[in-house]
Amino acid sequence: MKRRHFALGAATALALGACSRKPTKFQTYNGPEVTSVIIKKGERRMYLLNNDQVIKDVEFDLGFAPVGHKQFEGDGRTPEGLYFIDRRNPNSLYHLSLGISYPSPADIEAARAFNRSPGGDIFIHGEPNAGAISRRDWTAGCIAVKNREMEQLYAMVRDGTPVFLMP
């Protein structure tokens, strides 16, 4: 009888513990490797590719000045060209984030020619942790996706993955 009560109590504790667990923002991914990311700014579409096959298609928002290549810090533009995922931030102010390797040496040189800073901290990120977004193209030059999409991207895309940012 005592064993039965113990077993019932243990099962109840496990069940209640499972119910009270917080969902995690960290997912796992066991699908095909993401070999590149193509971001088409004009279409507001991001494509995750395994070689030449699209394995995921995501809609996004851009910086508050979405047309043209980022030239200076604070211009609100998103870079264009070939970059790489170079870092990840699990504690981002924007849910989760994947860093893009902007500025390149050419970006730094171009900005310095105008005696300006090229800026930096360009990310693919989720929604802000504090507050809601009420308009399109609200970032300072980043690529913003819904949190659910960001969780999938964070699991799928590895550091070193090439990112092609196109007009």
Side-chain angles (χ1 to χ4, degrees):
M1 186 74 157
K2 287 185 180 184
R3 282 187 183 176
R4 179 187 233 176
H5 288 294
F6 176 77
L8 284 172
T12 302
L14 285 173
L16 289 174
C19 291
S20 66
R21 274 191 213 137
K22 242 176 119 175
T24 180
K25 62 185 177 181
F26 301 106
Q27 297 184 10
T28 57
Y29 174 71
N30 296 316
E33 176 187 5
V34 176
T35 56
S36 63
V37 177
I38 296 177
I39 296 173
K40 294 187 176 182
K41 291 171 44 176
E43 295 175 16
R44 304 299 191 277
R45 301 302 294 184
M46 177 187 321
Y47 302 95
L48 278 59
L49 280 75
N50 172 267
N51 298 315
D52 61 351
Q53 297 282 71
V54 175
I55 55 177
K56 185 155 184 67
D57 174 357
V58 181
E59 187 176 350
F60 59 83
D61 286 332
L62 289 170
F64 58 82
V67 178
H69 175 62
K70 182 164 193 63
Q71 297 178 323
F72 312 117
E73 184 173 15
D75 66 6
R77 293 182 180 167
T78 303
E80 295 174 355
L82 172 61
Y83 297 91
F84 297 89
I85 297 298
D86 66 350
R87 62 201 181 281
R88 49 190 61 237
N89 185 353
N91 301 310
S92 172
L93 296 175
Y94 301 94
H95 193 60
L96 293 168
S97 62
L98 296 170
I100 295 176
S101 61
Y102 176 88
S104 69
D107 295 320
I108 294 168
E109 186 177 316
R112 284 189 181 154
F114 291 96
N115 202 28
R116 303 281 304 265
S117 166
D121 288 336
I122 302 297
F123 287 87
I124 300 170
H125 62 66
E127 299 161 295
N129 293 332
I133 301 305
S134 60
R135 64 182 174 93
R136 185 138 177 104
D137 295 334
W138 55 271
T139 78
C142 294
I143 297 103
V145 300
K146 300 287 184 198
N147 287 346
R148 184 181 85 255
E149 301 281 1
M150 190 63 228
E151 291 170 1
Q152 293 170 352
L153 296 174
Y154 199 86
M156 295 173 76
V157 179
R158 300 282 158 240
D159 290 357
T161 302
V163 178
F164 298 91
L165 288 135
M166 303 166 76

